[in-house]
Amino acid sequence: MSIPKPGRVVLLASAAAAVVVAASVAVIGPADAASTLGASAAQTGRYFGAAIAAGKLGDGTYTGILNREFNSVTPENEMKWDATEPSQGRFTFTNGDRILNQGISMGAKIRGHALLWHQQQPSWAQGLSGSALRNAAINHVTQVATHYKGKIYAWDVVNEAFADGGSGGRRDSNLQRTGNDWIEAAFRAARAADPAAKLCYNDYNTDGVNAKSTGVYNMVRDFKSRGVPIDCVGFQSHLGTSIPGDYQANLQRFADLGVEVQITELDVAQGGNQANVYAAVTRACMAVSRCGGITVWGIRDSDSWRTGENPLLFDSSGNKKAAYTSVLNALNAGGPTNPTTPPTTVPTTPPTTSPTSNPPSGACAASITLNSWNGGYVANIRVTAGSAAVNGWTVTVALPSGSAVTNTWSATNSATTGTVSFRNVSYNGQIPAGGNAEFGFQGTGAGPTATPTCSAG
Ligand code: 9MR
């Protein structure tokens, strides 16, 4: 909790005697009201961001508004899978880096969007399935998060993985068909690659309490209980002409799980209510201390993906709309200060001696976590280096009779039954002293009961 600067807490004279202001609540009086969205949000420790497009950064009206108003940016398309890995293993970061550098030049937070999604996959990935797809997906997460390591405030690690309608379950997709644990595998890989970034799950039609948002809620609760790294949940909030009545309550129930909540892609259909809906969304975020900030999905109406709906805060000429003023006023009305928390499970990195050009390999150990059901299981294995760095590893697992490996990720297996050796892949073979790497596999029958063994080198 941070205490607002004295100058920020202004009690109007007539009300001063009756009002008690808690130390963590910033009440912003007219004299201190900020005049831009970003500065206003910053008064309570929040950000106000926009999705931006690299192709528009040469438009002076666009960048003028961007530089003036916003203190967070999200690449609208430039960090997606099709943009960053157009052919397998060949990464292109040119446009993603343009967004990054624009954000850095503004002193803005940068939200990474999105590491894995069933849409905007490169065609080579669309053609993969099973372990080939799982390995490619985890490698993608690792490579992209590593490229942007230390620069990203929050990553949308997985986007839109839940089904619409009343099931509350996962959406069918090629990624989902690699095994239900693909989401946690992605989060673990992202954490390993960039421990400082907050890791978010992001979705739409989860803006009120409903079957879909409850499905996400249950996943987050499960992740928190099992120590799967997750720090934030994004609520896209592509809204029509109204806001769900339980919008704030929905944010709060997620916040109560111990994750930050963020409004990630806000836009609202133009209509009589547009300014009111925008204000209500802003007030809801301001009322939830763990709501870290709001991102609108574009700057001017002409920049929006919702062609013809005029859903943004600036008109096509760049003029402020009524919705802009209503958002600014709601930000300036203050609220509980956001406790900006770092990612929750940052692994501690012990001091390491700098590696020699061809380091000798130390010892390693392996531990296994099993998630079993009748007839099958998923095994996640953590390989931990001892007091010396490991340069390549092999983990050996004894499978009970009747068990067979059907799918492996982040390792390659020597066999599918009996005593199976799992060898590191190119990106996770080197483990610093005291560090760890993870891989997993799915199997039929009963899972292994003995502790796996690890040999380094
Ligand atoms: O705004 C994005 C648009 O330019 C792309 O063509 C589209 C491709 O699917 O993605 C849009 O952004 C989406 C975001 O990445 C995820 N949530 C829904 C957004 C609007 O479709």
Side-chain angles (χ1 to χ4, degrees):
M1 296 270 187
S2 71
I3 299 169
K5 288 186 191 144
R8 295 242 168 87
V9 180
V10 177
L11 302 179
L12 298 177
S14 61
V19 177
V20 176
V21 180
S24 61
V25 176
V27 177
I28 299 146
D32 279 358
S35 60
T36 67
L37 301 168
S40 180
Q43 292 178 113
T44 58
R46 291 176 175 79
Y47 63 83
F48 203 97
I52 59 172
K56 292 182 178 164
L57 294 176
D59 174 335
T61 306
Y62 184 83
T63 49
I65 300 170
L66 174 59
N67 288 324
R68 186 184 75 220
E69 295 287 345
F70 297 98
N71 59 358
S72 173
V73 296
T74 304
E76 188 173 358
N77 290 298
E78 291 79 352
M79 291 188 193
K80 292 173 179 173
W81 198 350
D82 60 350
T84 51
E85 196 181 0
S87 59
Q88 187 165 15
R90 194 175 64 77
F91 290 84
T92 57
F93 294 114
T94 313
N95 282 329
D97 289 355
R98 289 173 74 191
I99 303 287
L100 179 84
N101 290 329
Q102 169 68 29
I104 290 172
S105 76
M106 296 162 60
K109 290 187 159 76
I110 295 133
R111 290 196 82 262
H113 174 84
L115 291 171
L116 293 179
W117 186 22
H118 64 282
Q119 286 186 27
Q120 281 179 279
Q121 293 182 1
S123 53
W124 64 265
Q126 291 173 33
L128 295 181
S129 62
S131 58
L133 176 61
R134 173 68 72 97
N135 287 338
I138 297 301
N139 184 49
H140 179 76
V141 170
T142 301
Q143 301 298 333
V144 176
T146 299
H147 176 80
Y148 289 112
K149 180 178 180 177
K151 312 244 170 64
I152 299 291
Y153 172 70
W155 264 114
D156 290 331
V157 178
V158 168
N159 192 41
E160 302 177 7
F162 276 72
D164 290 311
S167 76
R170 299 283 182 83
R171 168 195 300 282
D172 178 52
S173 72
N174 59 346
L175 289 165
Q176 181 62 28
R177 289 191 292 272
T178 69
N180 203 49
D181 63 323
W182 71 278
I183 297 182
E184 62 194 78
F187 275 79
R188 290 188 200 279
R191 176 68 95 232
D194 186 357
K198 296 189 192 209
L199 305 181
C200 301
Y201 176 79
N202 188 51
D203 216 327
Y204 67 92
N205 283 353
T206 50
D207 309 309
V209 177
N210 57 39
K212 186 174 177 181
S213 64
T214 299
V216 176
Y217 177 87
N218 289 336
M219 179 187 75
V220 174
R221 191 175 53 184
D222 170 54
F223 279 14
K224 294 298 271 184
S225 75
R226 291 191 293 114
V228 177
I230 185 166
D231 308 298
C232 38
V233 176
F235 300 85
Q236 294 185 9
S237 302
H238 295 294
L239 299 176
T241 52
S242 64
I243 173 173
D246 49 15
Y247 187 92
Q248 183 181 322
N250 190 48
L251 295 182
Q252 188 65 58
R253 73 171 173 152
F254 278 86
D256 290 344
L257 291 175
V259 287
E260 180 168 315
V261 295
Q262 302 175 353
I263 315 305
T264 50
E265 303 184 15
L266 179 62
D267 48 21
V268 181
Q270 174 109 46
N273 278 330
Q274 187 179 47
N276 292 338
V277 173
Y278 262 109
V281 170
T282 308
R283 281 196 301 267
C285 178
M286 294 296 286
V288 174
S289 61
R290 277 206 172 99
C291 183
I294 299 174
T295 297
V296 286
W297 205 245
I299 295 181
R300 301 162 301 193
D301 285 335
S302 50
D303 302 317
S304 173
W305 68 294
R306 294 170 70 171
T307 310
E309 289 194 77
N310 298 321
L312 293 172
L313 299 178
F314 296 87
D315 70 19
S316 297
S317 305
N319 301 309
K320 296 170 181 173
K321 295 165 59 178
Y324 170 94
T325 308
S326 75
V327 168
L328 186 65
N329 289 343
L331 293 172
N332 275 328
T337 306
N338 173 250
T340 312
T341 44
T344 45
T345 54
V346 181
T348 52
T349 12
T352 54
T353 48
S354 41
T356 57
S357 56
N358 196 0
S361 214
C364 59
S367 62
I368 185 166
T369 309
L370 268 188
N371 185 3
S372 303
W373 60 91
N374 193 13
Y377 61 90
V378 163
N380 280 295
I381 297 192
R382 172 172 290 211
V383 183
T384 307
S387 54
V390 160
N391 189 17
W393 46 261
T394 303
V395 169
T396 303
V397 180
L399 298 186
S401 88
S403 172
V405 176
T406 54
N407 177 23
T408 303
W409 53 97
S410 304
T412 53
N413 49 312
S414 62
T416 56
T417 58
T419 301
V420 182
S421 294
F422 293 88
R423 180 72 187 160
N424 65 271
V425 287
S426 59
Y427 55 86
N428 64 5
Q430 297 195 329
I431 310 175
N436 61 67
E438 291 181 330
F439 72 95
F441 62 95
Q442 188 166 348
T444 54
T449 49
T451 305
T453 58
C454 185
S455 72

